[in-house]
Amino acid sequence: MKNILSDINRMLGITDSYQAPEKIMNILTGDEKECIRVFKEFLNYFKCDISYDWFHEYFEDEHADRKNNKQDFTPKCLSTLVSKLLGSDTGVTYEPTAGTGGMLISNWYNHRNAISFIDYKPNDHLIVCGELSDKTVPFLLFNLSIRGISGIVFHGDTLRNE
């Protein structure tokens, strides 16, 4: 039986989840071979199912700041429903409070599957998103990077434009 908390910690090479945000940023900005190794390990672990946010449960249980930042994560079933309601139009997707990327991933996956893999061009489906939490941004960047999603991530308060 999988224990997602300990398995993600092991794949990241950490002993406690509080180390994850810094470690993820080091992986994404450090040695390319190490980044590819970690990406392969995650893809193998999740059986290459890139249709959902792998960090949803991990982050919500270990890092979400419900009291101060009112962080709560959209359930996968709701992300899928919203994505289907939005349709598969090309263009820019904007998410002002992206979290770890659950809604973005679902929407991106729906768009990607509506187009032949030969005709799919990531830059035709740009993601623009914002996120306030210092702890959340590394998970979001990891999720976008491992899926090859083209986008811009603003780190700050989208309500106050700061």
PDB file of all heavy atoms in Angstrom, residues 125-146:
ATOM      1  N   HIS A 125      -1.401  27.230 -25.776  1.00  0.00           N
ATOM      2  CA  HIS A 125      -2.257  26.989 -24.613  1.00  0.00           C
ATOM      3  C   HIS A 125      -1.570  27.520 -23.363  1.00  0.00           C
ATOM      4  O   HIS A 125      -1.308  26.790 -22.418  1.00  0.00           O
ATOM      5  CB  HIS A 125      -2.551  25.496 -24.474  1.00  0.00           C
ATOM      6  CG  HIS A 125      -3.088  24.889 -25.715  1.00  0.00           C
ATOM      7  ND1 HIS A 125      -4.415  24.966 -26.057  1.00  0.00           N
ATOM      8  CD2 HIS A 125      -2.467  24.257 -26.740  1.00  0.00           C
ATOM      9  CE1 HIS A 125      -4.592  24.372 -27.228  1.00  0.00           C
ATOM     10  NE2 HIS A 125      -3.430  23.948 -27.661  1.00  0.00           N
ATOM     11  N   LEU A 126      -1.288  28.788 -23.371  1.00  0.00           N
ATOM     12  CA  LEU A 126      -0.528  29.423 -22.301  1.00  0.00           C
ATOM     13  C   LEU A 126      -1.321  29.467 -20.998  1.00  0.00           C
ATOM     14  O   LEU A 126      -2.516  29.760 -20.989  1.00  0.00           O
ATOM     15  CB  LEU A 126      -0.143  30.847 -22.714  1.00  0.00           C
ATOM     16  CG  LEU A 126       0.765  31.612 -21.770  1.00  0.00           C
ATOM     17  CD1 LEU A 126       2.143  30.961 -21.716  1.00  0.00           C
ATOM     18  CD2 LEU A 126       0.884  33.055 -22.221  1.00  0.00           C
ATOM     19  N   ILE A 127      -0.636  29.179 -19.913  1.00  0.00           N
ATOM     20  CA  ILE A 127      -1.195  29.262 -18.568  1.00  0.00           C
ATOM     21  C   ILE A 127      -0.620  30.519 -17.914  1.00  0.00           C
ATOM     22  O   ILE A 127       0.583  30.720 -17.922  1.00  0.00           O
ATOM     23  CB  ILE A 127      -0.775  28.034 -17.723  1.00  0.00           C
ATOM     24  CG1 ILE A 127      -1.243  26.734 -18.356  1.00  0.00           C
ATOM     25  CG2 ILE A 127      -1.232  28.179 -16.282  1.00  0.00           C
ATOM     26  CD1 ILE A 127      -2.690  26.437 -18.236  1.00  0.00           C
ATOM     27  N   VAL A 128      -1.483  31.340 -17.361  1.00  0.00           N
ATOM     28  CA  VAL A 128      -1.058  32.501 -16.578  1.00  0.00           C
ATOM     29  C   VAL A 128      -1.725  32.340 -15.222  1.00  0.00           C
ATOM     30  O   VAL A 128      -2.950  32.181 -15.135  1.00  0.00           O
ATOM     31  CB  VAL A 128      -1.477  33.836 -17.233  1.00  0.00           C
ATOM     32  CG1 VAL A 128      -1.075  35.009 -16.359  1.00  0.00           C
ATOM     33  CG2 VAL A 128      -0.870  33.957 -18.623  1.00  0.00           C
ATOM     34  N   CYS A 129      -0.909  32.337 -14.165  1.00  0.00           N
ATOM     35  CA  CYS A 129      -1.500  32.094 -12.857  1.00  0.00           C
ATOM     36  C   CYS A 129      -0.771  32.870 -11.768  1.00  0.00           C
ATOM     37  O   CYS A 129       0.343  33.338 -11.963  1.00  0.00           O
ATOM     38  CB  CYS A 129      -1.506  30.603 -12.544  1.00  0.00           C
ATOM     39  SG  CYS A 129       0.105  29.815 -12.518  1.00  0.00           S
ATOM     40  N   GLY A 130      -1.435  32.977 -10.660  1.00  0.00           N
ATOM     41  CA  GLY A 130      -0.865  33.629  -9.499  1.00  0.00           C
ATOM     42  C   GLY A 130      -0.981  32.739  -8.281  1.00  0.00           C
ATOM     43  O   GLY A 130      -1.882  31.893  -8.199  1.00  0.00           O
ATOM     44  N   GLU A 131      -0.070  32.923  -7.350  1.00  0.00           N
ATOM     45  CA  GLU A 131      -0.119  32.193  -6.084  1.00  0.00           C
ATOM     46  C   GLU A 131       0.570  33.016  -5.012  1.00  0.00           C
ATOM     47  O   GLU A 131       1.644  33.575  -5.228  1.00  0.00           O
ATOM     48  CB  GLU A 131       0.537  30.816  -6.207  1.00  0.00           C
ATOM     49  CG  GLU A 131       0.555  30.015  -4.925  1.00  0.00           C
ATOM     50  CD  GLU A 131      -0.799  29.901  -4.223  1.00  0.00           C
ATOM     51  OE1 GLU A 131      -1.821  29.676  -4.898  1.00  0.00           O
ATOM     52  OE2 GLU A 131      -0.820  30.062  -2.993  1.00  0.00           O
ATOM     53  N   LEU A 132      -0.061  33.099  -3.859  1.00  0.00           N
ATOM     54  CA  LEU A 132       0.417  33.903  -2.749  1.00  0.00           C
ATOM     55  C   LEU A 132       1.464  33.188  -1.896  1.00  0.00           C
ATOM     56  O   LEU A 132       2.470  33.761  -1.521  1.00  0.00           O
ATOM     57  CB  LEU A 132      -0.777  34.315  -1.868  1.00  0.00           C
ATOM     58  CG  LEU A 132      -0.478  35.071  -0.584  1.00  0.00           C
ATOM     59  CD1 LEU A 132       0.164  36.410  -0.907  1.00  0.00           C
ATOM     60  CD2 LEU A 132      -1.762  35.268   0.208  1.00  0.00           C
ATOM     61  N   SER A 133       1.244  31.940  -1.616  1.00  0.00           N
ATOM     62  CA  SER A 133       2.041  31.208  -0.633  1.00  0.00           C
ATOM     63  C   SER A 133       3.449  30.862  -1.107  1.00  0.00           C
ATOM     64  O   SER A 133       3.635  30.238  -2.158  1.00  0.00           O
ATOM     65  CB  SER A 133       1.312  29.918  -0.247  1.00  0.00           C
ATOM     66  OG  SER A 133       2.146  29.080   0.519  1.00  0.00           O
ATOM     67  N   ASP A 134       4.440  31.230  -0.289  1.00  0.00           N
ATOM     68  CA  ASP A 134       5.833  30.862  -0.567  1.00  0.00           C
ATOM     69  C   ASP A 134       6.004  29.346  -0.610  1.00  0.00           C
ATOM     70  O   ASP A 134       6.818  28.828  -1.373  1.00  0.00           O
ATOM     71  CB  ASP A 134       6.771  31.414   0.512  1.00  0.00           C
ATOM     72  CG  ASP A 134       6.828  32.933   0.540  1.00  0.00           C
ATOM     73  OD1 ASP A 134       6.419  33.571  -0.443  1.00  0.00           O
ATOM     74  OD2 ASP A 134       7.279  33.481   1.563  1.00  0.00           O
ATOM     75  N   LYS A 135       5.261  28.638   0.214  1.00  0.00           N
ATOM     76  CA  LYS A 135       5.381  27.182   0.279  1.00  0.00           C
ATOM     77  C   LYS A 135       4.747  26.505  -0.933  1.00  0.00           C
ATOM     78  O   LYS A 135       5.153  25.416  -1.320  1.00  0.00           O
ATOM     79  CB  LYS A 135       4.708  26.648   1.550  1.00  0.00           C
ATOM     80  CG  LYS A 135       5.447  26.951   2.824  1.00  0.00           C
ATOM     81  CD  LYS A 135       4.833  26.180   3.965  1.00  0.00           C
ATOM     82  CE  LYS A 135       4.123  27.123   4.892  1.00  0.00           C
ATOM     83  NZ  LYS A 135       3.435  26.442   5.989  1.00  0.00           N
ATOM     84  N   THR A 136       3.749  27.138  -1.519  1.00  0.00           N
ATOM     85  CA  THR A 136       2.990  26.521  -2.599  1.00  0.00           C
ATOM     86  C   THR A 136       3.664  26.656  -3.961  1.00  0.00           C
ATOM     87  O   THR A 136       3.615  25.742  -4.780  1.00  0.00           O
ATOM     88  CB  THR A 136       1.578  27.139  -2.669  1.00  0.00           C
ATOM     89  OG1 THR A 136       0.992  27.105  -1.375  1.00  0.00           O
ATOM     90  CG2 THR A 136       0.681  26.386  -3.626  1.00  0.00           C
ATOM     91  N   VAL A 137       4.294  27.788  -4.215  1.00  0.00           N
ATOM     92  CA  VAL A 137       4.858  28.073  -5.537  1.00  0.00           C
ATOM     93  C   VAL A 137       5.798  26.969  -6.040  1.00  0.00           C
ATOM     94  O   VAL A 137       5.692  26.569  -7.207  1.00  0.00           O
ATOM     95  CB  VAL A 137       5.521  29.466  -5.573  1.00  0.00           C
ATOM     96  CG1 VAL A 137       6.345  29.670  -6.832  1.00  0.00           C
ATOM     97  CG2 VAL A 137       4.458  30.553  -5.456  1.00  0.00           C
ATOM     98  N   PRO A 138       6.707  26.414  -5.226  1.00  0.00           N
ATOM     99  CA  PRO A 138       7.564  25.343  -5.754  1.00  0.00           C
ATOM    100  C   PRO A 138       6.778  24.125  -6.259  1.00  0.00           C
ATOM    101  O   PRO A 138       7.126  23.545  -7.294  1.00  0.00           O
ATOM    102  CB  PRO A 138       8.449  24.967  -4.565  1.00  0.00           C
ATOM    103  CG  PRO A 138       8.498  26.212  -3.739  1.00  0.00           C
ATOM    104  CD  PRO A 138       7.129  26.815  -3.872  1.00  0.00           C
ATOM    105  N   PHE A 139       5.717  23.752  -5.556  1.00  0.00           N
ATOM    106  CA  PHE A 139       4.896  22.618  -5.993  1.00  0.00           C
ATOM    107  C   PHE A 139       4.217  22.940  -7.323  1.00  0.00           C
ATOM    108  O   PHE A 139       4.136  22.098  -8.214  1.00  0.00           O
ATOM    109  CB  PHE A 139       3.838  22.284  -4.930  1.00  0.00           C
ATOM    110  CG  PHE A 139       4.404  21.730  -3.661  1.00  0.00           C
ATOM    111  CD1 PHE A 139       4.680  22.566  -2.594  1.00  0.00           C
ATOM    112  CD2 PHE A 139       4.643  20.378  -3.513  1.00  0.00           C
ATOM    113  CE1 PHE A 139       5.191  22.064  -1.407  1.00  0.00           C
ATOM    114  CE2 PHE A 139       5.155  19.858  -2.336  1.00  0.00           C
ATOM    115  CZ  PHE A 139       5.436  20.709  -1.275  1.00  0.00           C
ATOM    116  N   LEU A 140       3.722  24.158  -7.449  1.00  0.00           N
ATOM    117  CA  LEU A 140       3.083  24.606  -8.689  1.00  0.00           C
ATOM    118  C   LEU A 140       4.083  24.567  -9.844  1.00  0.00           C
ATOM    119  O   LEU A 140       3.784  24.040 -10.923  1.00  0.00           O
ATOM    120  CB  LEU A 140       2.523  26.026  -8.501  1.00  0.00           C
ATOM    121  CG  LEU A 140       1.960  26.717  -9.734  1.00  0.00           C
ATOM    122  CD1 LEU A 140       0.776  25.944 -10.307  1.00  0.00           C
ATOM    123  CD2 LEU A 140       1.536  28.152  -9.366  1.00  0.00           C
ATOM    124  N   LEU A 141       5.275  25.108  -9.633  1.00  0.00           N
ATOM    125  CA  LEU A 141       6.294  25.109 -10.678  1.00  0.00           C
ATOM    126  C   LEU A 141       6.698  23.687 -11.073  1.00  0.00           C
ATOM    127  O   LEU A 141       6.891  23.393 -12.256  1.00  0.00           O
ATOM    128  CB  LEU A 141       7.521  25.901 -10.224  1.00  0.00           C
ATOM    129  CG  LEU A 141       7.312  27.399 -10.055  1.00  0.00           C
ATOM    130  CD1 LEU A 141       8.545  28.044  -9.420  1.00  0.00           C
ATOM    131  CD2 LEU A 141       6.958  28.070 -11.367  1.00  0.00           C
ATOM    132  N   PHE A 142       6.811  22.799 -10.091  1.00  0.00           N
ATOM    133  CA  PHE A 142       7.132  21.395 -10.372  1.00  0.00           C
ATOM    134  C   PHE A 142       6.045  20.782 -11.243  1.00  0.00           C
ATOM    135  O   PHE A 142       6.332  20.129 -12.253  1.00  0.00           O
ATOM    136  CB  PHE A 142       7.272  20.615  -9.059  1.00  0.00           C
ATOM    137  CG  PHE A 142       7.730  19.194  -9.225  1.00  0.00           C
ATOM    138  CD1 PHE A 142       9.062  18.858  -9.033  1.00  0.00           C
ATOM    139  CD2 PHE A 142       6.835  18.187  -9.544  1.00  0.00           C
ATOM    140  CE1 PHE A 142       9.499  17.538  -9.171  1.00  0.00           C
ATOM    141  CE2 PHE A 142       7.257  16.869  -9.688  1.00  0.00           C
ATOM    142  CZ  PHE A 142       8.592  16.547  -9.501  1.00  0.00           C
ATOM    143  N   ASN A 143       4.784  20.995 -10.856  1.00  0.00           N
ATOM    144  CA  ASN A 143       3.661  20.434 -11.604  1.00  0.00           C
ATOM    145  C   ASN A 143       3.624  20.933 -13.045  1.00  0.00           C
ATOM    146  O   ASN A 143       3.374  20.165 -13.972  1.00  0.00           O
ATOM    147  CB  ASN A 143       2.335  20.754 -10.908  1.00  0.00           C
ATOM    148  CG  ASN A 143       1.951  19.710  -9.896  1.00  0.00           C
ATOM    149  OD1 ASN A 143       2.258  18.534 -10.050  1.00  0.00           O
ATOM    150  ND2 ASN A 143       1.264  20.132  -8.854  1.00  0.00           N
ATOM    151  N   LEU A 144       3.848  22.208 -13.253  1.00  0.00           N
ATOM    152  CA  LEU A 144       3.839  22.757 -14.609  1.00  0.00           C
ATOM    153  C   LEU A 144       5.038  22.237 -15.403  1.00  0.00           C
ATOM    154  O   LEU A 144       4.900  21.851 -16.567  1.00  0.00           O
ATOM    155  CB  LEU A 144       3.851  24.285 -14.569  1.00  0.00           C
ATOM    156  CG  LEU A 144       2.659  24.977 -13.897  1.00  0.00           C
ATOM    157  CD1 LEU A 144       2.840  26.488 -13.917  1.00  0.00           C
ATOM    158  CD2 LEU A 144       1.342  24.577 -14.528  1.00  0.00           C
ATOM    159  N   SER A 145       6.208  22.199 -14.767  1.00  0.00           N
ATOM    160  CA  SER A 145       7.433  21.787 -15.461  1.00  0.00           C
ATOM    161  C   SER A 145       7.404  20.334 -15.901  1.00  0.00           C
ATOM    162  O   SER A 145       7.757  20.023 -17.036  1.00  0.00           O
ATOM    163  CB  SER A 145       8.647  22.004 -14.548  1.00  0.00           C
ATOM    164  OG  SER A 145       8.806  23.354 -14.247  1.00  0.00           O
ATOM    165  N   ILE A 146       6.990  19.444 -15.025  1.00  0.00           N
ATOM    166  CA  ILE A 146       7.033  18.017 -15.359  1.00  0.00           C
ATOM    167  C   ILE A 146       6.044  17.672 -16.474  1.00  0.00           C
ATOM    168  O   ILE A 146       6.231  16.720 -17.213  1.00  0.00           O
ATOM    169  CB  ILE A 146       6.808  17.130 -14.111  1.00  0.00           C
ATOM    170  CG1 ILE A 146       7.298  15.704 -14.382  1.00  0.00           C
ATOM    171  CG2 ILE A 146       5.344  17.158 -13.667  1.00  0.00           C
ATOM    172  CD1 ILE A 146       7.409  14.841 -13.151  1.00  0.00           C
TER     173      ILE A 146
END
